[in-house]
Amino acid sequence: MLEVRSLGIDGVLEIVPKRHGDARGFFMETYNAERFSQAGIDLTFVQDNHSYSAAPGVLRGLHYQLAPRAQDKLLRVIRGSVLDVAVDIRRASKTFGKWVALEVSAEKGNQILVPKGFAHGFVTLVPDTEVLYKVTDTYSPEHDRSIRFDDPAIGIEWPSLAGGFQLSDKDLKAPMLAAAEVFA
Protein backbone atom coordinates (compact mmCIF):
# COMPACT_ATOMS: atom_id res chain seq x y z
CA MET A 1 0.00 0.00 0.00
CA LEU A 2 3.10 2.19 -0.01
CA GLU A 3 5.59 2.80 -2.82
CA VAL A 4 9.06 3.89 -1.63
CA ARG A 5 11.77 5.09 -4.03
CA SER A 6 15.31 6.31 -3.32
CA LEU A 7 16.14 9.71 -4.80
CA GLY A 8 19.83 8.88 -5.25
CA ILE A 9 21.34 10.11 -1.98
CA ASP A 10 21.24 7.67 0.91
CA GLY A 11 18.13 8.16 3.06
CA VAL A 12 16.24 10.69 0.91
CA LEU A 13 13.08 8.95 -0.28
CA GLU A 14 9.96 9.58 -2.31
CA ILE A 15 6.95 7.93 -0.70
CA VAL A 16 3.73 7.45 -2.63
CA PRO A 17 0.76 6.20 -0.59
CA LYS A 18 -1.95 4.31 -2.46
CA ARG A 19 -5.03 6.38 -3.32
CA HIS A 20 -8.45 4.78 -3.26
CA GLY A 21 -10.77 6.79 -5.46
CA ASP A 22 -14.31 6.77 -6.74
CA ALA A 23 -16.89 9.29 -7.97
CA ARG A 24 -16.87 11.03 -4.57
CA GLY A 25 -13.10 11.72 -4.56
CA PHE A 26 -10.33 9.75 -2.89
CA PHE A 27 -8.98 8.42 0.40
CA MET A 28 -5.33 7.76 1.20
CA GLU A 29 -3.44 6.80 4.32
CA THR A 30 -0.58 9.32 4.37
CA TYR A 31 1.16 7.89 7.43
CA ASN A 32 0.94 4.56 9.20
CA ALA A 33 3.79 3.72 11.60
CA GLU A 34 3.47 -0.03 11.01
CA ARG A 35 3.49 0.23 7.20
CA PHE A 36 6.39 2.67 7.27
CA SER A 37 8.33 0.33 9.58
CA GLN A 38 7.67 -2.57 7.19
CA ALA A 39 9.19 -0.39 4.44
CA GLY A 40 12.31 0.16 6.58
CA ILE A 41 11.32 3.62 7.84
CA ASP A 42 11.18 3.43 11.62
CA LEU A 43 10.74 7.00 12.89
CA THR A 44 8.77 8.60 15.69
CA PHE A 45 7.23 11.90 14.65
CA VAL A 46 6.54 14.40 17.44
CA GLN A 47 5.37 17.57 15.68
CA ASP A 48 3.32 18.49 12.61
CA ASN A 49 3.92 21.75 10.71
CA HIS A 50 1.74 23.51 8.14
CA SER A 51 2.83 26.31 5.80
CA TYR A 52 0.78 28.35 3.33
CA SER A 53 2.31 30.36 0.49
CA ALA A 54 0.11 32.75 -1.47
CA ALA A 55 2.31 33.16 -4.54
CA PRO A 56 4.54 31.04 -6.75
CA GLY A 57 8.22 31.59 -5.98
CA VAL A 58 8.02 31.54 -2.20
CA LEU A 59 11.31 29.89 -1.28
CA ARG A 60 11.73 28.47 2.23
CA GLY A 61 15.15 27.14 3.12
CA LEU A 62 17.64 25.71 3.28
CA HIS A 63 16.88 24.82 6.92
CA TYR A 64 18.04 22.21 9.43
CA GLN A 65 18.64 21.66 13.12
CA LEU A 66 21.93 20.48 14.59
CA ALA A 67 22.30 17.46 16.88
CA PRO A 68 21.10 16.63 19.41
CA ARG A 69 17.89 18.28 18.09
CA ALA A 70 18.25 17.24 14.43
CA GLN A 71 15.01 16.41 12.62
CA ASP A 72 13.88 13.87 10.07
CA LYS A 73 11.11 15.44 7.95
CA LEU A 74 8.22 13.82 6.09
CA LEU A 75 6.69 16.42 3.76
CA ARG A 76 3.59 16.42 1.57
CA VAL A 77 1.58 19.05 -0.29
CA ILE A 78 -2.18 19.24 0.26
CA ARG A 79 -2.79 22.07 -2.22
CA GLY A 80 -0.54 23.19 -5.04
CA SER A 81 2.98 22.10 -5.89
CA VAL A 82 6.58 22.63 -4.75
CA LEU A 83 10.05 21.74 -5.87
CA ASP A 84 11.51 20.21 -2.73
CA VAL A 85 15.30 20.06 -2.23
CA ALA A 86 17.52 18.11 0.19
CA VAL A 87 21.24 18.89 0.54
CA ASP A 88 23.64 16.46 2.23
CA ILE A 89 25.45 18.41 4.98
CA ARG A 90 27.22 15.46 6.63
CA ARG A 91 30.94 16.32 6.22
CA ALA A 92 31.98 12.64 6.42
CA SER A 93 29.53 11.61 3.69
CA LYS A 94 30.75 10.84 0.18
CA THR A 95 27.80 12.94 -1.06
CA PHE A 96 28.54 16.00 1.13
CA GLY A 97 27.25 19.15 -0.59
CA LYS A 98 25.26 17.17 -3.16
CA TRP A 99 21.53 17.76 -3.58
CA VAL A 100 18.41 16.05 -4.88
CA ALA A 101 15.10 17.60 -5.85
CA LEU A 102 11.57 16.27 -6.24
CA GLU A 103 8.35 17.89 -7.35
CA VAL A 104 5.84 17.19 -4.59
CA SER A 105 2.23 18.04 -5.33
CA ALA A 106 -1.31 17.57 -4.14
CA GLU A 107 -2.18 16.11 -7.54
CA LYS A 108 0.54 13.43 -7.35
CA GLY A 109 -0.10 12.68 -3.67
CA ASN A 110 3.59 11.95 -3.18
CA GLN A 111 5.76 12.74 -0.17
CA ILE A 112 9.46 13.24 0.48
CA LEU A 113 11.40 11.94 3.47
CA VAL A 114 14.40 14.13 4.33
CA PRO A 115 16.60 12.52 7.01
CA LYS A 116 18.74 14.11 9.69
CA GLY A 117 21.98 15.47 8.29
CA PHE A 118 20.33 17.23 5.37
CA ALA A 119 19.44 20.87 4.81
CA HIS A 120 15.93 21.17 3.40
CA GLY A 121 14.06 23.74 1.37
CA PHE A 122 11.32 24.18 -1.18
CA VAL A 123 9.96 26.70 -3.63
CA THR A 124 6.27 27.00 -4.49
CA LEU A 125 5.47 26.44 -8.16
CA VAL A 126 1.85 27.63 -8.18
CA PRO A 127 -0.29 30.05 -6.15
CA ASP A 128 -2.02 29.06 -2.90
CA THR A 129 0.26 26.17 -1.97
CA GLU A 130 -0.10 24.39 1.37
CA VAL A 131 2.57 22.10 2.76
CA LEU A 132 2.29 19.73 5.73
CA TYR A 133 5.27 18.05 7.30
CA LYS A 134 6.00 15.83 10.25
CA VAL A 135 9.27 16.09 12.19
CA THR A 136 11.02 13.80 14.67
CA ASP A 137 12.00 16.57 17.10
CA THR A 138 10.40 19.84 18.10
CA TYR A 139 11.68 23.24 17.00
CA SER A 140 14.77 24.38 18.89
CA PRO A 141 15.93 27.96 18.22
CA GLU A 142 19.38 27.16 19.70
CA HIS A 143 19.93 24.39 17.13
CA ASP A 144 18.19 26.03 14.16
CA ARG A 145 20.49 26.76 11.21
CA SER A 146 20.24 27.79 7.54
CA ILE A 147 22.37 27.67 4.42
CA ARG A 148 22.05 30.08 1.52
CA PHE A 149 19.67 28.72 -1.15
CA ASP A 150 21.82 29.98 -4.04
CA ASP A 151 25.25 28.88 -2.79
CA PRO A 152 27.26 28.25 -6.00
CA ALA A 153 29.27 25.52 -4.23
CA ILE A 154 26.02 23.52 -3.99
CA GLY A 155 24.61 24.61 -7.36
CA ILE A 156 20.91 23.85 -6.87
CA GLU A 157 19.00 24.21 -10.13
CA TRP A 158 15.98 26.15 -8.92
CA PRO A 159 13.25 26.73 -11.51
CA SER A 160 12.98 30.07 -13.31
CA LEU A 161 9.75 31.68 -12.15
CA ALA A 162 8.24 34.83 -13.67
CA GLY A 163 8.16 36.81 -10.40
CA GLY A 164 11.48 35.54 -9.06
CA PHE A 165 11.79 34.31 -5.48
CA GLN A 166 10.33 35.60 -2.22
CA LEU A 167 12.52 34.83 0.81
CA SER A 168 12.50 35.69 4.49
CA ASP A 169 15.21 37.95 5.91
CA LYS A 170 16.59 34.91 7.74
CA ASP A 171 17.01 32.99 4.48
CA LEU A 172 18.53 35.99 2.66
CA LYS A 173 21.16 36.31 5.42
CA ALA A 174 21.98 32.58 5.65
CA PRO A 175 25.68 31.66 5.34
CA MET A 176 27.20 29.70 2.48
CA LEU A 177 27.84 26.00 3.10
CA ALA A 178 31.60 26.57 3.62
CA ALA A 179 30.86 28.89 6.57
CA ALA A 180 27.92 26.95 8.02
CA GLU A 181 27.95 24.78 11.11
CA VAL A 182 27.04 21.31 9.81
CA PHE A 183 27.13 17.64 10.81
CA ALA A 184 30.45 15.80 11.36
Side-chain angles (χ1 to χ4, degrees), residues 10-90:
D10 188 36
V12 184
L13 305 172
E14 179 181 24
I15 299 168
V16 184
K18 181 161 179 56
R19 280 191 186 187
H20 305 277
D22 60 25
R24 301 168 297 161
F26 71 85
F27 171 84
M28 72 179 183
E29 195 173 81
T30 60
Y31 177 73
N32 176 308
E34 184 177 328
R35 291 190 203 289
F36 271 58
S37 183
Q38 289 168 353
I41 305 165
D42 198 16
L43 301 171
T44 302
F45 294 104
V46 298
Q47 179 178 308
D48 284 356
N49 300 321
H50 185 163
S51 75
Y52 167 76
S53 301
V58 172
L59 198 152
R60 300 177 190 267
L62 302 164
H63 303 149
Y64 59 100
Q65 286 189 179
L66 292 172
R69 301 297 300 276
Q71 299 172 318
D72 301 283
K73 296 177 181 178
L74 178 64
L75 179 139
R76 66 190 178 102
V77 175
I78 60 168
R79 182 168 53 159
S81 179
V82 302
L83 181 69
D84 197 277
V85 174
V87 179
D88 189 345
I89 57 169
R90 303 167 297 172

Side-chain angles (χ1 to χ4, degrees), residues 30-175:
T30 60
Y31 177 73
N32 176 308
E34 184 177 328
R35 291 190 203 289
F36 271 58
S37 183
Q38 289 168 353
I41 305 165
D42 198 16
L43 301 171
T44 302
F45 294 104
V46 298
Q47 179 178 308
D48 284 356
N49 300 321
H50 185 163
S51 75
Y52 167 76
S53 301
V58 172
L59 198 152
R60 300 177 190 267
L62 302 164
H63 303 149
Y64 59 100
Q65 286 189 179
L66 292 172
R69 301 297 300 276
Q71 299 172 318
D72 301 283
K73 296 177 181 178
L74 178 64
L75 179 139
R76 66 190 178 102
V77 175
I78 60 168
R79 182 168 53 159
S81 179
V82 302
L83 181 69
D84 197 277
V85 174
V87 179
D88 189 345
I89 57 169
R90 303 167 297 172
R91 284 208 192 278
S93 170
K94 65 182 179 198
T95 55
F96 176 75
K98 303 291 186 213
W99 60 276
V100 293
L102 176 69
E103 184 178 339
V104 182
S105 71
E107 182 180 327
K108 291 179 181 179
N110 61 338
Q111 302 178 73
I112 186 169
L113 178 67
V114 180
K116 295 172 184 166
F118 285 77
H120 170 256
F122 63 83
V123 64
T124 57
L125 301 174
V126 297
D128 298 318
T129 295
E130 291 189 68
V131 174
L132 299 178
Y133 58 101
K134 300 176 143 338
V135 293
T136 56
D137 201 343
T138 57
Y139 175 69
S140 173
E142 306 85 52
H143 298 87
D144 184 43
R145 300 290 186 276
S146 297
I147 295 172
R148 187 75 185 184
F149 78 100
D150 59 354
D151 183 337
I154 301 171
I156 297 170
E157 295 173 16
W158 297 102
S160 294
L161 299 170
F165 298 129
Q166 296 176 40
L167 290 104
S168 69
D169 285 342
K170 170 188 165 183
D171 291 343
L172 285 169
K173 294 175 184 173

